[in-house]
Amino acid sequence: MEVSRRATNTDQVCTDGGGEKTVKDNAVHLRRRIGLLPAISFIIGTVVGSGIFIAPKGVLMNSGSVGLSLLVWALCGVLSTCGALCYAELGTSFTKSGGHYTYLLETLGPLPAFLRLWTEYIFIRPAVASYVSLAFGRYVVEPFFMPCVAPTVLVKMVSMLAVTFVVAVNCWSVSLAARTQVSLTFIKMFALVLIIIPGIMALANGNTKNFQNAFESDSVSLTKLPLAFYSGLYAYGGWFYLNFITEEVINPNRTIPLAITFSMVTVTVFYVLVNVAYYTMMTANELLVSDAVAVTFANRALQGIAPAIPVLVALSCLGALNGGFFGSPRMLFVGAREGHLPAIFSMIHIRRQTPLPAVLFLYPLVIVMMGRGEIFQLINFASFSRWLFIALATLGLIIHRYRFPEHPRPFKVPIAVAVVFTIVCFFIVGLSLYSDPWNTGGSCALTVSGVPVYYLTVKKSCIPERWKKAFNYVSEKLQILLEVAQQEVQTY
């Protein structure tokens, strides 16, 4: 095709003038540009998004008491850290990008891996990005309408602008996206510190009335607890995104374990302290009726700089959105490279060296999902399949260790950690089907719907010949229009 020939000719010129190194430098491929600081910023910046500012309401609503909600936050941090350590082993054992998809492909086979791709792009990634972008829109618009409710249409319009900005950045430059992530991470950590300090000061001054009888409640229900964990785990979600870009990480065997360990310990400590600060200034009922918890907190504890809090929270959401759009397209990219998706999604822009088609593919999906509705329904809807496949990936880690004990593993997590994490994930996933059968049942049905798609399109390729020709024609035109080509250097 025209674009591919153009890229090849450029490489030939470089070969004549600069040798083998120059050829590799000018070839179309994803570069290793993510060092330790960007890796830490990538994890923290993706984890700390809208969740800590909105999920406290969902955790409290389903846990039933202040004390139990704080316990849920701490346990979610421990559970997420255990999962992150399991993924650190997987990330150093299998050097391909792609995260969940790659690990399922290597340990359990192609069908589970394809189903992970199917669910990621049919509803998980659009639902997650919609949740974060709607939170961004709410925190931008809400201050202008308080104490009234902000217009839903305006919130969604601002949310769409945020998604458009993030897509543009990730299409333009990998380095720009990484620098944006580092900058936004520092801003969001500053926002958390602004919340923690006045809360801890008030607590030290004896403001402990909201913590008295903290575990007493009439609404504690075992069936609702999985939904409390879903909200908490959603706020911690993002610890696995560094594994999506393994091929772009400098010295991954060292960087991935260090970045994951430091990031998750930091986030867990900050999250628990932020929730303690919330309850220092607000009663449980006041937190439940607030649609923007951080804004309500700021109006009470930070009167002088309260208007800045919504801006900082919105930037925090933007950072999480940027991290998601940076990492998630790499799974689509690797899936297409393995033949499970159309080849166009495994192509890279010949000058900007970004996975342009994979990033652009997500854009309309997120915009459509944004109109689905209630924000906590989006959490439950996406979380079932997400945590099902995380549990399967760590189960695959255990099976792979048993089947291939000699396989190189630069970083090894204690097997007990992997077993406990896997069991807890399966338990939460199973019980959630009972707790919220409508949303989790729908998520389960959409996951299973990928099985016939796999056998018809990948396993047996039962696509009519005329459809194949039409699709190939469209793909060729898109390749020329987008100026993309297949990767020319193996990066794993």
Side-chain angles (χ1 to χ4, degrees):
M1 282 178 250
E2 182 180 338
V3 176
S4 299
R5 287 199 299 270
R6 177 178 167 186
T8 305
N9 291 339
T10 304
D11 290 341
Q12 186 61 51
V13 172
C14 295
T15 305
D16 297 339
E20 185 178 345
K21 185 176 186 299
T22 309
V23 173
K24 187 172 181 180
D25 288 344
N26 288 274
V28 177
H29 69 285
L30 298 175
R31 270 69 171 170
R32 292 192 182 273
R33 291 171 171 160
I34 308 299
L36 183 58
L37 178 60
I40 292 172
S41 299
F42 184 66
I43 297 173
I44 294 179
T46 308
V47 172
V48 182
S50 59
I52 188 58
F53 306 111
I54 290 180
K57 180 178 177 178
V59 173
L60 179 60
M61 186 168 51
N62 291 297
S63 62
S65 69
V66 171
L68 192 54
S69 70
L70 290 176
L71 183 61
V72 167
W73 278 103
L75 289 176
C76 285
V78 172
L79 186 63
S80 297
T81 302
C82 291
L85 291 174
C86 293
Y87 268 57
E89 176 175 331
L90 288 166
T92 55
S93 300
F94 306 109
T95 56
K96 292 180 182 178
S97 295
H100 317 299
Y101 167 80
T102 296
Y103 308 144
L104 290 168
L105 181 67
E106 297 289 342
T107 61
L108 298 182
L111 178 57
F114 176 82
L115 291 178
R116 183 65 185 87
L117 277 180
W118 174 258
T119 57
E120 177 74 12
Y121 297 102
I122 291 297
F123 61 92
I124 292 179
R125 174 45 39 192
V128 172
S130 298
Y131 170 86
V132 176
S133 57
L134 286 170
F136 172 87
R138 177 173 292 173
Y139 273 97
V140 169
V141 174
E142 193 94 12
F144 295 100
F145 291 88
M146 291 184 70
C148 300
V149 178
T152 303
V153 173
L154 184 58
V155 170
K156 291 187 177 181
M157 288 178 62
V158 173
S159 302
M160 289 177 187
L161 288 176
V163 174
T164 304
F165 168 77
V166 167
V167 168
V169 167
N170 281 275
C171 287
W172 187 261
S173 166
V174 172
S175 297
L176 178 60
R179 289 196 298 270
T180 301
Q181 191 68 8
V182 172
S183 302
L184 291 174
T185 298
F186 279 106
I187 292 172
K188 65 179 63 184
M189 296 310 286
F190 175 69
L192 294 186
V193 170
L194 276 182
I195 293 172
I196 290 170
I197 289 177
I200 298 301
M201 288 176 62
L203 197 63
N205 291 331
N207 192 3
T208 60
K209 61 181 182 297
N210 293 336
F211 296 97
Q212 295 172 5
N213 303 318
F215 287 91
E216 289 187 5
S217 174
D218 297 328
S219 59
V220 176
S221 170
L222 182 61
T223 58
K224 287 187 176 181
L225 273 179
L227 303 183
F229 274 93
Y230 269 176
S231 290
L233 290 170
Y234 200 92
Y236 283 98
W239 48 263
F240 40 75
Y241 277 118
L242 186 62
N243 297 71
F244 285 26
I245 59 170
T246 303
E247 295 169 35
E248 297 169 71
V249 176
I250 300 168
N251 191 10
N253 289 347
R254 173 180 177 273
T255 301
I256 290 176
L258 280 177
I260 283 175
T261 304
F262 179 84
S263 301
M264 291 313 299
V265 171
T266 301
V267 169
T268 301
V269 171
F270 270 67
Y271 272 16
V272 173
L273 291 177
V274 165
N275 278 277
V276 169
Y278 284 156
Y279 290 122
T280 304
M281 295 295 178
M282 288 182 282
T283 65
N285 289 333
E286 288 170 338
L287 190 145
L288 286 174
V289 298
S290 173
D291 287 327
V293 178
V295 173
T296 305
F297 174 88
N299 289 333
R300 296 191 175 191
L302 302 165
Q303 287 92 350
I305 57 172
I309 292 297
V311 176
L312 294 174
V313 174
L315 291 174
S316 178
C317 296
L318 194 65
L321 195 62
N322 181 67
F325 269 93
F326 189 95
S328 191
R330 270 61 174 180
M331 186 194 293
L332 182 64
F333 173 85
V334 174
R337 192 172 65 187
E338 295 288 341
H340 282 176
L341 291 171
I344 185 70
F345 298 121
S346 66
M347 296 186 183
I348 301 168
H349 195 276
I350 59 175
R351 292 189 306 277
R352 306 207 174 277
Q353 307 295 329
T354 60
L356 187 69
V359 177
L360 288 177
F361 177 72
L362 285 175
Y363 183 66
L365 298 179
V366 174
I367 297 299
V368 170
M369 181 66 79
M370 207 173 287
R372 185 176 186 273
E374 215 280 321
I375 201 163
F376 292 108
Q377 290 179 352
L378 288 175
I379 295 178
N380 299 338
F381 186 68
S383 292
F384 171 84
S385 287
R386 168 181 272 185
W387 285 97
L388 172 63
F389 285 107
I390 288 174
L392 288 174
T394 54
L395 176 64
L397 180 153
I398 298 167
I399 294 172
H400 194 268
R401 268 208 201 177
Y402 176 76
R403 292 181 61 197
F404 305 100
E406 302 302 321
H407 185 87
R409 292 178 175 84
F411 177 85
K412 287 184 72 172
V413 69
I415 193 67
V417 171
V419 170
V420 170
F421 177 79
T422 303
I423 291 172
V424 171
C425 285
F426 276 124
F427 175 76
I428 293 174
V429 166
L431 199 55
S432 68
L433 280 169
Y434 179 77
S435 302
D436 187 7
W438 179 252
N439 283 298
T440 54
S443 178
C444 181
L446 282 173
T447 301
V448 174
S449 71
V451 175
V453 175
Y454 170 77
Y455 280 102
L456 290 174
T457 61
V458 178
K459 189 73 173 177
K460 295 184 178 179
S461 189
C462 298
I463 303 173
E465 197 62 35
R466 66 175 69 179
W467 291 13
K468 289 182 181 179
K469 289 181 180 179
F471 186 81
N472 289 336
Y473 176 79
V474 173
S475 295
E476 289 177 11
K477 297 303 179 184
L478 281 174
Q479 185 183 358
I480 296 169
L481 176 66
L482 299 175
E483 295 186 304
V484 293
Q486 292 285 359
Q487 185 167 329
E488 296 174 331
V489 175
Q490 183 170 315
T491 53
Y492 56 91

